[in-house]
Amino acid sequence: MDVVLDLYETFIGDHIFALLHPAQVTAHDAISAQGGGEWTPNPSSGQAIRCDYQPATKYFSVTPSPALCMSAWPRENIYRQGINLFLMFWTFGLVVYFVFSSLSFVFVYDKQMMRHPKYLKDQVSLEIKQACSAMPGIAFLSVPLVLLGVRGHSKMYDTTDDGPGLWYDILQFPLFILFTDSCTYWIHRALHQSFIYKNVHKCHHRFIIPTPYASLAFHPLEGFAMSLPYHIFGFIFPFQKLAYLFFFMFINIWILFVHDGEYLISNPVINGAACHTIHHHYFNFNYGQYTTLWDRLCGSYRKPPDELFQKRQARKASEWKKQTEDKTEDLDCTVRSTNAGKGV
C-alpha cells in the first residue's frame, strides 16, 4: 500500500499537510531542499524536517512538488500516515463501490429479480445506506494493520531481486487464493454463530435477493473480519507490492461478482454468483469465497439447481415460490449441515 500512499502524497497529501500543518519555510527554500536529506529551515527554532524522497517502488516513480518539504509533519510521521491511509481506504472504497456496482446494476443485473417476493421495498437504497455507513468503520479498523506494513513490519517486497525469486513471484498468486479462501470460509462460518449472526452478519443477510449494491452492505466488524486474511497474508508470507495492489482490486471486484445475480456457468469448483445466491437463500451452505473446496470438505456445499442457469425458468413464479418456502435456516441462525449435500 506504500506505492499508493506515495502517489496520494505527491498529488494530494503533500499539499493538504503543507496547508494544514505548515513548517516555517518558504517555497524557494523548499525547492532548494527537495530531495536532500534532513534539513533545518529555521536555525533559531531548531526544527528539523525530513525532506528526502525515496520512491516506494523501483518500477516507477513520480517527481514530488515543493510541498513535500513544506509541512511540519514529514511523510514518515505515523499520525500523518494513519490519517492518509484512512482517507485513502474510505475514498477508494466509495469510488470503487459506486462505479462498479452501478455499472453492474445497469448492464448486468437482471431487473426481473426485483419482482421476487423476497426482494425488499426500497432495497437498493437500503443496501447503499448500509454500505456507506460501514465503509468508514472498515477503513478505521484496517488502518493499524496496513500501517504496520507501510512502516516495514511485514514481508512485503518490491522487485524479484528483493524476494525469494521468480518462482515465488508466480507461486504467490495461487498461494494467496488458497490461504484467503481457507481463512474466509472459517470466518464466514463463525459469523453464522447465533450471537455474532444476530448482532453483526444479519444486516447483510436481510438482502435475500441481493443486487450488486449489496456487495459491501456489511456491518463494519464483518467487513473488517472478512478482509483480515488479505491483510495478514503479507505478515506470514512474502508478498510482492504490486501483487498486493492487484489482489486489493480483485477482491473488490469478486465481491461484486458474486452478488450480481448473473449465473454464467455451473462450475463445481468456483464459488461464483450462483453458489453465493444459494447462501443468501438458504443461509447454511456455500460459505467459501473463491472455491467450493472447504464447503465440500466440511459438508456445507449445496449445488445450485440447473434452473438458476436458465433465465426464463429462474424467473418463474413457481421457482420463486420454491425458494421462498424451501428454507433451511435455523431459528437461532447457528451453523448446521443437515442435508448439506442436497442437489450435489
Side-chain angles (χ1 to χ4, degrees):
M1 194 57 69
D2 56 347
V3 176
V4 179
L5 185 59
D6 183 18
L7 295 173
Y8 174 86
E9 286 280 26
T10 299
F11 296 107
I12 300 176
D14 286 340
H15 303 280
I16 291 177
F17 279 93
L19 178 65
L20 297 181
H21 195 28
Q24 299 301 313
V25 53
T26 66
H28 178 269
D29 291 334
I31 293 172
S32 301
Q34 192 176 348
E38 189 174 272
W39 170 58
T40 304
N42 188 344
S44 62
S45 70
Q47 182 186 31
I49 296 177
R50 291 290 302 174
C51 202
D52 54 335
Y53 171 70
Q54 295 294 330
T57 177
K58 297 175 184 176
Y59 289 110
F60 63 88
S61 64
V62 290
T63 303
S65 71
L68 170 72
C69 307
M70 297 181 69
S71 172
W73 276 5
R75 286 190 181 186
E76 296 79 12
N77 182 280
I78 190 171
Y79 301 109
R80 173 171 171 169
Q81 288 177 331
I83 292 169
N84 282 335
L85 288 171
F86 171 74
L87 293 175
M88 282 168 48
F89 265 83
W90 188 6
T91 304
F92 182 80
L94 283 171
V95 171
V96 170
Y97 173 73
F98 279 106
V99 170
F100 289 98
S101 294
S102 297
L103 289 173
S104 180
F105 184 79
V106 172
F107 297 108
V108 178
Y109 184 68
D110 184 0
K111 310 301 188 298
Q112 292 295 322
M113 296 305 296
M114 299 171 74
R115 298 166 51 198
H116 194 288
K118 285 296 182 179
Y119 184 88
L120 302 179
K121 181 181 178 182
D122 300 323
Q123 181 170 308
V124 167
S125 62
L126 292 173
E127 291 169 337
I128 292 174
K129 182 179 179 180
Q130 181 65 50
C132 289
S133 65
M135 276 187 267
I138 296 172
F140 179 79
L141 293 170
S142 300
V143 163
L145 281 173
V146 181
L147 188 58
L148 283 173
V150 166
R151 297 184 70 83
H153 300 293
S154 70
K155 296 185 178 182
M156 303 284 286
Y157 67 94
D158 188 21
T159 66
T160 300
D161 293 337
D162 301 324
L166 180 60
W167 64 272
Y168 187 82
D169 287 350
I170 299 170
L171 179 64
Q172 68 182 323
F173 285 85
L175 180 60
F176 177 89
I177 294 293
L178 289 173
F179 176 82
T180 55
D181 194 47
S182 300
C183 294
T184 302
Y185 175 85
W186 292 107
I187 292 171
H188 197 171
R189 287 198 71 151
L191 289 170
H192 278 257
Q193 298 301 318
S194 179
F195 178 80
I196 302 175
Y197 181 91
K198 291 176 181 178
N199 292 280
V200 177
H201 194 38
K202 192 173 183 177
C203 66
H204 180 67
H205 261 292
R206 61 177 169 158
F207 306 120
I208 297 174
I209 309 298
T211 78
Y213 291 106
S215 58
L216 291 179
F218 300 127
H219 187 284
L221 289 176
E222 175 185 353
F224 172 66
M226 296 291 275
S227 69
L228 263 178
Y230 167 77
H231 293 307
I232 66 175
F233 182 84
F235 291 92
I236 301 173
F237 304 99
F239 203 11
Q240 203 274 330
K241 292 180 180 181
L242 298 184
Y244 176 90
L245 296 178
F246 167 81
F247 277 114
F248 186 80
M249 282 297 301
F250 175 76
I251 289 171
N252 278 276
I253 300 301
W254 184 268
I255 294 172
L256 173 64
F257 166 71
V258 298
H259 289 92
D260 67 7
E262 184 66 17
Y263 316 124
L264 298 177
I265 186 172
S266 179
N267 189 292
V269 176
I270 298 175
N271 189 70
C275 282
H276 197 68
T277 292
I278 294 299
H279 179 72
H280 274 264
H281 285 173
Y282 304 113
F283 298 89
N284 294 315
F285 308 101
N286 302 349
Y287 298 96
Q289 184 168 26
Y290 306 118
T291 75
T292 62
L293 172 63
W294 282 98
D295 282 303
R296 291 179 180 277
L297 290 175
C298 299
S300 55
Y301 175 68
R302 180 162 178 162
K303 179 183 177 183
D306 293 337
E307 290 79 9
L308 278 184
F309 301 96
Q310 304 168 16
K311 278 194 174 182
R312 188 171 297 179
Q313 179 68 23
R315 294 174 180 172
K316 282 187 176 181
S318 58
E319 181 64 23
W320 288 353
K321 183 179 180 181
K322 178 183 176 183
Q323 293 170 358
T324 303
E325 294 175 349
D326 183 16
K327 290 296 177 190
T328 56
E329 180 190 15
D330 292 338
L331 293 177
D332 62 354
C333 299
T334 55
V335 174
R336 64 186 177 93
S337 55
T338 304
N339 297 323
K342 182 177 179 181
V344 176

